[in-house]
PDB file of all heavy atoms in Angstrom:
ATOM      1  N   CYS A1416       0.858  -1.182   0.050  1.00  0.00           N
ATOM      2  CA  CYS A1416      -0.020  -0.057  -0.049  1.00  0.00           C
ATOM      3  C   CYS A1416       0.853   1.258  -0.048  1.00  0.00           C
ATOM      4  O   CYS A1416       0.421   2.347  -0.217  1.00  0.00           O
ATOM      5  CB  CYS A1416      -1.012  -0.025   1.155  1.00  0.00           C
ATOM      6  SG  CYS A1416      -0.194   0.063   2.863  1.00  0.00           S
ATOM      7  N   ASN A1417       2.166   1.167   0.257  1.00  0.00           N
ATOM      8  CA  ASN A1417       3.083   2.357   0.332  1.00  0.00           C
ATOM      9  C   ASN A1417       3.738   2.415  -1.020  1.00  0.00           C
ATOM     10  O   ASN A1417       4.572   3.308  -1.235  1.00  0.00           O
ATOM     11  CB  ASN A1417       3.963   2.327   1.512  1.00  0.00           C
ATOM     12  CG  ASN A1417       3.300   2.448   2.775  1.00  0.00           C
ATOM     13  OD1 ASN A1417       2.331   3.252   2.936  1.00  0.00           O
ATOM     14  ND2 ASN A1417       3.605   1.514   3.698  1.00  0.00           N
ATOM     15  N   GLY A1418       3.634   1.515  -1.930  1.00  0.00           N
ATOM     16  CA  GLY A1418       4.301   1.533  -3.175  1.00  0.00           C
ATOM     17  C   GLY A1418       5.492   0.803  -3.271  1.00  0.00           C
ATOM     18  O   GLY A1418       6.330   1.015  -4.299  1.00  0.00           O
ATOM     19  N   TYR A1419       5.884   0.110  -2.217  1.00  0.00           N
ATOM     20  CA  TYR A1419       7.091  -0.721  -2.181  1.00  0.00           C
ATOM     21  C   TYR A1419       6.812  -2.074  -2.519  1.00  0.00           C
ATOM     22  O   TYR A1419       5.655  -2.545  -2.404  1.00  0.00           O
ATOM     23  CB  TYR A1419       7.837  -0.544  -0.813  1.00  0.00           C
ATOM     24  CG  TYR A1419       8.327   0.892  -0.493  1.00  0.00           C
ATOM     25  CD1 TYR A1419       7.672   1.662   0.390  1.00  0.00           C
ATOM     26  CD2 TYR A1419       9.412   1.315  -1.247  1.00  0.00           C
ATOM     27  CE1 TYR A1419       8.154   2.937   0.656  1.00  0.00           C
ATOM     28  CE2 TYR A1419       9.828   2.635  -0.964  1.00  0.00           C
ATOM     29  CZ  TYR A1419       9.260   3.475  -0.053  1.00  0.00           C
ATOM     30  OH  TYR A1419       9.690   4.723   0.275  1.00  0.00           O
ATOM     31  N   ILE A1420       7.875  -2.815  -2.734  1.00  0.00           N
ATOM     32  CA  ILE A1420       7.848  -4.278  -2.920  1.00  0.00           C
ATOM     33  C   ILE A1420       7.313  -5.007  -1.629  1.00  0.00           C
ATOM     34  O   ILE A1420       7.647  -4.744  -0.470  1.00  0.00           O
ATOM     35  CB  ILE A1420       9.054  -4.991  -3.337  1.00  0.00           C
ATOM     36  CG1 ILE A1420       8.843  -6.371  -3.762  1.00  0.00           C
ATOM     37  CG2 ILE A1420      10.141  -4.857  -2.288  1.00  0.00           C
ATOM     38  CD1 ILE A1420      10.120  -7.051  -4.476  1.00  0.00           C
ATOM     39  N   ASN A1421       6.194  -5.830  -1.752  1.00  0.00           N
ATOM     40  CA  ASN A1421       5.702  -6.550  -0.770  1.00  0.00           C
ATOM     41  C   ASN A1421       6.292  -8.018  -0.829  1.00  0.00           C
ATOM     42  O   ASN A1421       5.704  -8.855  -1.577  1.00  0.00           O
ATOM     43  CB  ASN A1421       4.101  -6.636  -0.870  1.00  0.00           C
ATOM     44  CG  ASN A1421       3.463  -7.434   0.211  1.00  0.00           C
ATOM     45  OD1 ASN A1421       4.187  -8.323   0.957  1.00  0.00           O
ATOM     46  ND2 ASN A1421       2.237  -7.196   0.378  1.00  0.00           N
ATOM     47  N   LYS A1422       7.302  -8.258  -0.070  1.00  0.00           N
ATOM     48  CA  LYS A1422       8.051  -9.544  -0.147  1.00  0.00           C
ATOM     49  C   LYS A1422       7.165 -10.676   0.220  1.00  0.00           C
ATOM     50  O   LYS A1422       7.361 -11.846  -0.324  1.00  0.00           O
ATOM     51  CB  LYS A1422       9.348  -9.608   0.659  1.00  0.00           C
ATOM     52  CG  LYS A1422      10.375  -8.573   0.027  1.00  0.00           C
ATOM     53  CD  LYS A1422      11.698  -8.530   0.733  1.00  0.00           C
ATOM     54  CE  LYS A1422      12.629  -7.521   0.093  1.00  0.00           C
ATOM     55  NZ  LYS A1422      13.945  -7.534   0.673  1.00  0.00           N
ATOM     56  N   THR A1423       6.359 -10.501   1.208  1.00  0.00           N
ATOM     57  CA  THR A1423       5.263 -11.587   1.599  1.00  0.00           C
ATOM     58  C   THR A1423       4.502 -12.074   0.409  1.00  0.00           C
ATOM     59  O   THR A1423       4.201 -13.120   0.037  1.00  0.00           O
ATOM     60  CB  THR A1423       4.545 -11.082   2.775  1.00  0.00           C
ATOM     61  OG1 THR A1423       5.247 -10.683   3.791  1.00  0.00           O
ATOM     62  CG2 THR A1423       3.499 -12.183   3.175  1.00  0.00           C
ATOM     63  N   ALA A1424       4.078 -11.016  -0.397  1.00  0.00           N
ATOM     64  CA  ALA A1424       3.160 -11.314  -1.525  1.00  0.00           C
ATOM     65  C   ALA A1424       4.002 -11.994  -2.596  1.00  0.00           C
ATOM     66  O   ALA A1424       3.599 -12.915  -3.271  1.00  0.00           O
ATOM     67  CB  ALA A1424       2.630  -9.991  -2.109  1.00  0.00           C
ATOM     68  N   VAL A1425       5.226 -11.529  -2.799  1.00  0.00           N
ATOM     69  CA  VAL A1425       6.094 -12.277  -3.774  1.00  0.00           C
ATOM     70  C   VAL A1425       6.417 -13.619  -3.345  1.00  0.00           C
ATOM     71  O   VAL A1425       6.187 -14.660  -4.249  1.00  0.00           O
ATOM     72  CB  VAL A1425       7.517 -11.454  -3.970  1.00  0.00           C
ATOM     73  CG1 VAL A1425       8.539 -12.354  -4.847  1.00  0.00           C
ATOM     74  CG2 VAL A1425       7.464 -10.064  -4.398  1.00  0.00           C
ATOM     75  N   LYS A1426       6.530 -13.959  -2.084  1.00  0.00           N
ATOM     76  CA  LYS A1426       6.808 -15.341  -1.752  1.00  0.00           C
ATOM     77  C   LYS A1426       5.582 -16.191  -1.823  1.00  0.00           C
ATOM     78  O   LYS A1426       5.565 -17.340  -2.209  1.00  0.00           O
ATOM     79  CB  LYS A1426       7.218 -15.334  -0.208  1.00  0.00           C
ATOM     80  CG  LYS A1426       8.583 -14.979  -0.057  1.00  0.00           C
ATOM     81  CD  LYS A1426       8.965 -14.903   1.547  1.00  0.00           C
ATOM     82  CE  LYS A1426      10.414 -14.345   1.577  1.00  0.00           C
ATOM     83  NZ  LYS A1426      10.823 -14.136   3.103  1.00  0.00           N
ATOM     84  N   TYR A1427       4.285 -15.432  -1.525  1.00  0.00           N
ATOM     85  CA  TYR A1427       3.112 -16.246  -1.725  1.00  0.00           C
ATOM     86  C   TYR A1427       2.924 -16.541  -3.114  1.00  0.00           C
ATOM     87  O   TYR A1427       2.621 -17.845  -3.478  1.00  0.00           O
ATOM     88  CB  TYR A1427       2.031 -15.334  -1.378  1.00  0.00           C
ATOM     89  CG  TYR A1427       0.526 -15.814  -1.714  1.00  0.00           C
ATOM     90  CD1 TYR A1427       0.024 -16.795  -0.996  1.00  0.00           C
ATOM     91  CD2 TYR A1427      -0.035 -15.209  -2.873  1.00  0.00           C
ATOM     92  CE1 TYR A1427      -1.300 -17.238  -1.369  1.00  0.00           C
ATOM     93  CE2 TYR A1427      -1.424 -15.725  -3.183  1.00  0.00           C
ATOM     94  CZ  TYR A1427      -1.847 -16.765  -2.460  1.00  0.00           C
ATOM     95  OH  TYR A1427      -3.146 -17.307  -2.859  1.00  0.00           O
ATOM     96  N   TRP A1428       3.063 -15.563  -4.075  1.00  0.00           N
ATOM     97  CA  TRP A1428       2.825 -15.967  -5.529  1.00  0.00           C
ATOM     98  C   TRP A1428       3.859 -17.033  -6.126  1.00  0.00           C
ATOM     99  O   TRP A1428       3.430 -17.901  -6.918  1.00  0.00           O
ATOM    100  CB  TRP A1428       2.764 -14.731  -6.484  1.00  0.00           C
ATOM    101  CG  TRP A1428       1.574 -13.968  -6.196  1.00  0.00           C
ATOM    102  CD1 TRP A1428       1.419 -12.744  -5.616  1.00  0.00           C
ATOM    103  CD2 TRP A1428       0.265 -14.284  -6.780  1.00  0.00           C
ATOM    104  NE1 TRP A1428       0.220 -12.314  -5.581  1.00  0.00           N
ATOM    105  CE2 TRP A1428      -0.559 -13.243  -6.310  1.00  0.00           C
ATOM    106  CE3 TRP A1428      -0.167 -15.397  -7.457  1.00  0.00           C
ATOM    107  CZ2 TRP A1428      -1.939 -13.358  -6.617  1.00  0.00           C
ATOM    108  CZ3 TRP A1428      -1.594 -15.326  -7.696  1.00  0.00           C
ATOM    109  CH2 TRP A1428      -2.401 -14.412  -7.260  1.00  0.00           C
ATOM    110  N   ILE A1429       4.932 -16.945  -5.597  1.00  0.00           N
ATOM    111  CA  ILE A1429       6.075 -17.861  -6.177  1.00  0.00           C
ATOM    112  C   ILE A1429       5.972 -19.211  -5.468  1.00  0.00           C
ATOM    113  O   ILE A1429       6.034 -20.332  -6.017  1.00  0.00           O
ATOM    114  CB  ILE A1429       7.402 -17.298  -6.103  1.00  0.00           C
ATOM    115  CG1 ILE A1429       7.536 -16.030  -7.095  1.00  0.00           C
ATOM    116  CG2 ILE A1429       8.531 -18.251  -6.398  1.00  0.00           C
ATOM    117  CD1 ILE A1429       8.800 -15.270  -7.035  1.00  0.00           C
ATOM    118  N   ASP A1430       5.873 -19.123  -4.053  1.00  0.00           N
ATOM    119  CA  ASP A1430       5.899 -20.429  -3.318  1.00  0.00           C
ATOM    120  C   ASP A1430       4.569 -21.130  -3.525  1.00  0.00           C
ATOM    121  O   ASP A1430       4.574 -22.363  -3.663  1.00  0.00           O
ATOM    122  CB  ASP A1430       6.310 -20.074  -1.906  1.00  0.00           C
ATOM    123  CG  ASP A1430       6.935 -21.297  -1.103  1.00  0.00           C
ATOM    124  OD1 ASP A1430       7.469 -22.213  -1.734  1.00  0.00           O
ATOM    125  OD2 ASP A1430       6.808 -21.270   0.072  1.00  0.00           O
ATOM    126  N   GLU A1431       3.620 -20.460  -3.251  1.00  0.00           N
ATOM    127  CA  GLU A1431       2.221 -21.105  -3.215  1.00  0.00           C
ATOM    128  C   GLU A1431       1.705 -21.414  -4.606  1.00  0.00           C
ATOM    129  O   GLU A1431       1.281 -22.577  -4.872  1.00  0.00           O
ATOM    130  CB  GLU A1431       1.173 -20.247  -2.574  1.00  0.00           C
ATOM    131  CG  GLU A1431      -0.226 -20.867  -2.525  1.00  0.00           C
ATOM    132  CD  GLU A1431      -0.434 -22.229  -1.790  1.00  0.00           C
ATOM    133  OE1 GLU A1431       0.420 -22.536  -0.846  1.00  0.00           O
ATOM    134  OE2 GLU A1431      -1.169 -22.920  -2.213  1.00  0.00           O
ATOM    135  N   TRP A1432       1.771 -20.571  -5.651  1.00  0.00           N
ATOM    136  CA  TRP A1432       1.260 -20.726  -6.870  1.00  0.00           C
ATOM    137  C   TRP A1432       2.389 -21.071  -8.070  1.00  0.00           C
ATOM    138  O   TRP A1432       1.973 -21.249  -9.205  1.00  0.00           O
ATOM    139  CB  TRP A1432       0.394 -19.565  -7.353  1.00  0.00           C
ATOM    140  CG  TRP A1432      -0.761 -19.458  -6.352  1.00  0.00           C
ATOM    141  CD1 TRP A1432      -1.021 -18.584  -5.367  1.00  0.00           C
ATOM    142  CD2 TRP A1432      -1.923 -20.372  -6.452  1.00  0.00           C
ATOM    143  NE1 TRP A1432      -2.177 -18.760  -4.774  1.00  0.00           N
ATOM    144  CE2 TRP A1432      -2.756 -19.885  -5.365  1.00  0.00           C
ATOM    145  CE3 TRP A1432      -2.312 -21.344  -7.244  1.00  0.00           C
ATOM    146  CZ2 TRP A1432      -4.042 -20.587  -5.062  1.00  0.00           C
ATOM    147  CZ3 TRP A1432      -3.473 -21.921  -6.993  1.00  0.00           C
ATOM    148  CH2 TRP A1432      -4.311 -21.608  -5.938  1.00  0.00           C
ATOM    149  N   LYS A1433       3.550 -20.904  -7.693  1.00  0.00           N
ATOM    150  CA  LYS A1433       4.746 -21.305  -8.578  1.00  0.00           C
ATOM    151  C   LYS A1433       4.681 -20.393  -9.801  1.00  0.00           C
ATOM    152  O   LYS A1433       5.141 -20.777 -10.829  1.00  0.00           O
ATOM    153  CB  LYS A1433       4.674 -22.739  -8.879  1.00  0.00           C
ATOM    154  CG  LYS A1433       4.235 -23.612  -7.855  1.00  0.00           C
ATOM    155  CD  LYS A1433       5.123 -23.776  -6.741  1.00  0.00           C
ATOM    156  CE  LYS A1433       4.670 -24.809  -5.663  1.00  0.00           C
ATOM    157  NZ  LYS A1433       5.069 -24.438  -4.336  1.00  0.00           N
ATOM    158  N   VAL A1434       4.280 -19.104  -9.634  1.00  0.00           N
ATOM    159  CA  VAL A1434       4.152 -18.317 -10.778  1.00  0.00           C
ATOM    160  C   VAL A1434       5.519 -17.980 -11.396  1.00  0.00           C
ATOM    161  O   VAL A1434       6.513 -17.863 -10.735  1.00  0.00           O
ATOM    162  CB  VAL A1434       3.607 -16.856 -10.334  1.00  0.00           C
ATOM    163  CG1 VAL A1434       3.793 -15.931 -11.422  1.00  0.00           C
ATOM    164  CG2 VAL A1434       2.175 -16.983  -9.954  1.00  0.00           C
ATOM    165  N   GLY A1435       5.595 -18.174 -12.725  1.00  0.00           N
ATOM    166  CA  GLY A1435       7.073 -18.067 -13.416  1.00  0.00           C
ATOM    167  C   GLY A1435       7.179 -16.773 -14.158  1.00  0.00           C
ATOM    168  O   GLY A1435       8.276 -16.685 -14.644  1.00  0.00           O
ATOM    169  N   SER A1436       6.140 -15.858 -14.194  1.00  0.00           N
ATOM    170  CA  SER A1436       6.330 -14.670 -14.981  1.00  0.00           C
ATOM    171  C   SER A1436       5.388 -13.560 -14.445  1.00  0.00           C
ATOM    172  O   SER A1436       4.444 -13.724 -13.914  1.00  0.00           O
ATOM    173  CB  SER A1436       5.916 -14.929 -16.393  1.00  0.00           C
ATOM    174  OG  SER A1436       6.064 -13.672 -17.207  1.00  0.00           O
ATOM    175  N   PHE A1437       6.177 -12.286 -14.495  1.00  0.00           N
ATOM    176  CA  PHE A1437       5.436 -11.095 -14.066  1.00  0.00           C
ATOM    177  C   PHE A1437       5.467 -10.103 -15.171  1.00  0.00           C
ATOM    178  O   PHE A1437       6.404 -10.117 -15.899  1.00  0.00           O
ATOM    179  CB  PHE A1437       6.042 -10.429 -12.724  1.00  0.00           C
ATOM    180  CG  PHE A1437       5.938 -11.396 -11.580  1.00  0.00           C
ATOM    181  CD1 PHE A1437       7.017 -12.178 -11.263  1.00  0.00           C
ATOM    182  CD2 PHE A1437       4.837 -11.554 -10.875  1.00  0.00           C
ATOM    183  CE1 PHE A1437       6.925 -13.044 -10.113  1.00  0.00           C
ATOM    184  CE2 PHE A1437       4.698 -12.382  -9.836  1.00  0.00           C
ATOM    185  CZ  PHE A1437       5.730 -13.112  -9.396  1.00  0.00           C
ATOM    186  N   LEU A1438       4.454  -9.238 -15.337  1.00  0.00           N
ATOM    187  CA  LEU A1438       4.256  -8.320 -16.388  1.00  0.00           C
ATOM    188  C   LEU A1438       4.066  -6.849 -15.750  1.00  0.00           C
ATOM    189  O   LEU A1438       3.314  -6.816 -14.862  1.00  0.00           O
ATOM    190  CB  LEU A1438       3.033  -8.742 -17.227  1.00  0.00           C
ATOM    191  CG  LEU A1438       2.691  -7.615 -18.350  1.00  0.00           C
ATOM    192  CD1 LEU A1438       3.828  -7.456 -19.399  1.00  0.00           C
ATOM    193  CD2 LEU A1438       1.358  -8.067 -18.974  1.00  0.00           C
ATOM    194  N   GLU A1439       4.715  -5.838 -16.421  1.00  0.00           N
ATOM    195  CA  GLU A1439       4.457  -4.487 -16.093  1.00  0.00           C
ATOM    196  C   GLU A1439       5.402  -3.858 -15.127  1.00  0.00           C
ATOM    197  O   GLU A1439       6.494  -4.429 -14.783  1.00  0.00           O
ATOM    198  CB  GLU A1439       2.892  -4.373 -15.459  1.00  0.00           C
ATOM    199  CG  GLU A1439       1.917  -3.940 -16.305  1.00  0.00           C
ATOM    200  CD  GLU A1439       2.269  -2.589 -17.166  1.00  0.00           C
ATOM    201  OE1 GLU A1439       3.049  -1.846 -16.896  1.00  0.00           O
ATOM    202  OE2 GLU A1439       1.420  -2.407 -18.101  1.00  0.00           O
ATOM    203  N   THR A1440       5.131  -2.625 -14.765  1.00  0.00           N
ATOM    204  CA  THR A1440       6.039  -1.938 -14.020  1.00  0.00           C
ATOM    205  C   THR A1440       5.169  -1.619 -12.552  1.00  0.00           C
ATOM    206  O   THR A1440       3.990  -1.389 -12.661  1.00  0.00           O
ATOM    207  CB  THR A1440       6.330  -0.626 -14.562  1.00  0.00           C
ATOM    208  OG1 THR A1440       7.119   0.271 -13.737  1.00  0.00           O
ATOM    209  CG2 THR A1440       5.197   0.333 -15.017  1.00  0.00           C
ATOM    210  N   PRO A1441       6.068  -1.612 -11.455  1.00  0.00           N
ATOM    211  CA  PRO A1441       5.285  -1.242 -10.187  1.00  0.00           C
ATOM    212  C   PRO A1441       4.715   0.200 -10.265  1.00  0.00           C
ATOM    213  O   PRO A1441       3.675   0.398  -9.463  1.00  0.00           O
ATOM    214  CB  PRO A1441       6.474  -1.291  -9.130  1.00  0.00           C
ATOM    215  CG  PRO A1441       7.518  -2.186  -9.797  1.00  0.00           C
ATOM    216  CD  PRO A1441       7.410  -1.897 -11.285  1.00  0.00           C
ATOM    217  N   GLY A1442       5.209   1.109 -11.029  1.00  0.00           N
ATOM    218  CA  GLY A1442       4.811   2.582 -11.000  1.00  0.00           C
ATOM    219  C   GLY A1442       3.421   2.607 -11.407  1.00  0.00           C
ATOM    220  O   GLY A1442       2.707   3.553 -11.170  1.00  0.00           O
ATOM    221  N   ASN A1443       2.945   1.681 -12.254  1.00  0.00           N
ATOM    222  CA  ASN A1443       1.558   1.724 -12.758  1.00  0.00           C
ATOM    223  C   ASN A1443       0.494   1.212 -11.723  1.00  0.00           C
ATOM    224  O   ASN A1443      -0.721   1.302 -11.878  1.00  0.00           O
ATOM    225  CB  ASN A1443       1.407   0.878 -13.987  1.00  0.00           C
ATOM    226  CG  ASN A1443       1.696   1.644 -15.196  1.00  0.00           C
ATOM    227  OD1 ASN A1443       2.207   2.814 -15.200  1.00  0.00           O
ATOM    228  ND2 ASN A1443       1.792   0.891 -16.345  1.00  0.00           N
ATOM    229  N   HIS A1444       1.044   0.702 -10.605  1.00  0.00           N
ATOM    230  CA  HIS A1444       0.201   0.179  -9.559  1.00  0.00           C
ATOM    231  C   HIS A1444       0.317   0.802  -8.258  1.00  0.00           C
ATOM    232  O   HIS A1444       0.677   0.235  -7.230  1.00  0.00           O
ATOM    233  CB  HIS A1444       0.478  -1.398  -9.521  1.00  0.00           C
ATOM    234  CG  HIS A1444       0.327  -2.063 -10.878  1.00  0.00           C
ATOM    235  ND1 HIS A1444      -0.984  -2.398 -11.377  1.00  0.00           N
ATOM    236  CD2 HIS A1444       1.238  -2.333 -11.800  1.00  0.00           C
ATOM    237  CE1 HIS A1444      -0.801  -2.844 -12.493  1.00  0.00           C
ATOM    238  NE2 HIS A1444       0.448  -2.931 -12.891  1.00  0.00           N
ATOM    239  N   ASN A1445       0.303   2.120  -8.313  1.00  0.00           N
ATOM    240  CA  ASN A1445       0.471   2.938  -7.044  1.00  0.00           C
ATOM    241  C   ASN A1445       1.922   2.785  -6.565  1.00  0.00           C
ATOM    242  O   ASN A1445       2.097   2.852  -5.277  1.00  0.00           O
ATOM    243  CB  ASN A1445      -0.569   2.747  -5.899  1.00  0.00           C
ATOM    244  CG  ASN A1445      -1.916   3.029  -6.527  1.00  0.00           C
ATOM    245  OD1 ASN A1445      -2.121   3.989  -7.094  1.00  0.00           O
ATOM    246  ND2 ASN A1445      -2.833   2.100  -6.206  1.00  0.00           N
ATOM    247  N   GLY A1446       2.743   2.600  -7.410  1.00  0.00           N
ATOM    248  CA  GLY A1446       4.266   2.421  -6.967  1.00  0.00           C
ATOM    249  C   GLY A1446       4.853   3.628  -6.418  1.00  0.00           C
ATOM    250  O   GLY A1446       4.171   4.734  -6.623  1.00  0.00           O
ATOM    251  N   ARG A1447       5.798   3.588  -5.608  1.00  0.00           N
ATOM    252  CA  ARG A1447       6.363   4.655  -4.857  1.00  0.00           C
ATOM    253  C   ARG A1447       6.813   5.765  -5.859  1.00  0.00           C
ATOM    254  O   ARG A1447       6.755   6.967  -5.579  1.00  0.00           O
ATOM    255  CB  ARG A1447       7.521   4.172  -4.121  1.00  0.00           C
ATOM    256  CG  ARG A1447       8.197   5.246  -3.302  1.00  0.00           C
ATOM    257  CD  ARG A1447       7.444   5.492  -2.049  1.00  0.00           C
ATOM    258  NE  ARG A1447       8.207   6.367  -1.145  1.00  0.00           N
ATOM    259  CZ  ARG A1447       7.637   7.441  -0.598  1.00  0.00           C
ATOM    260  NH1 ARG A1447       6.436   7.666  -0.663  1.00  0.00           N
ATOM    261  NH2 ARG A1447       8.470   8.295   0.161  1.00  0.00           N
ATOM    262  N   TYR A1448       7.284   5.321  -7.057  1.00  0.00           N
ATOM    263  CA  TYR A1448       7.742   6.289  -8.110  1.00  0.00           C
ATOM    264  C   TYR A1448       7.000   6.053  -9.390  1.00  0.00           C
ATOM    265  O   TYR A1448       6.669   4.857  -9.781  1.00  0.00           O
ATOM    266  CB  TYR A1448       9.305   5.947  -8.438  1.00  0.00           C
ATOM    267  CG  TYR A1448       9.970   5.993  -7.221  1.00  0.00           C
ATOM    268  CD1 TYR A1448      10.543   4.732  -6.640  1.00  0.00           C
ATOM    269  CD2 TYR A1448      10.442   7.153  -6.637  1.00  0.00           C
ATOM    270  CE1 TYR A1448      11.168   4.678  -5.488  1.00  0.00           C
ATOM    271  CE2 TYR A1448      11.165   7.120  -5.398  1.00  0.00           C
ATOM    272  CZ  TYR A1448      11.629   5.966  -4.863  1.00  0.00           C
ATOM    273  OH  TYR A1448      12.343   5.909  -3.678  1.00  0.00           O
TER     274      TYR A1448
END
């Protein structure tokens, strides 16, 4: 919610769902910059 990387969410998507690819830029999603 502050526009920074959420490492818990990253671990969730990779560890739980084994996601192999991400698309886009954090800036488009209320990123800090």
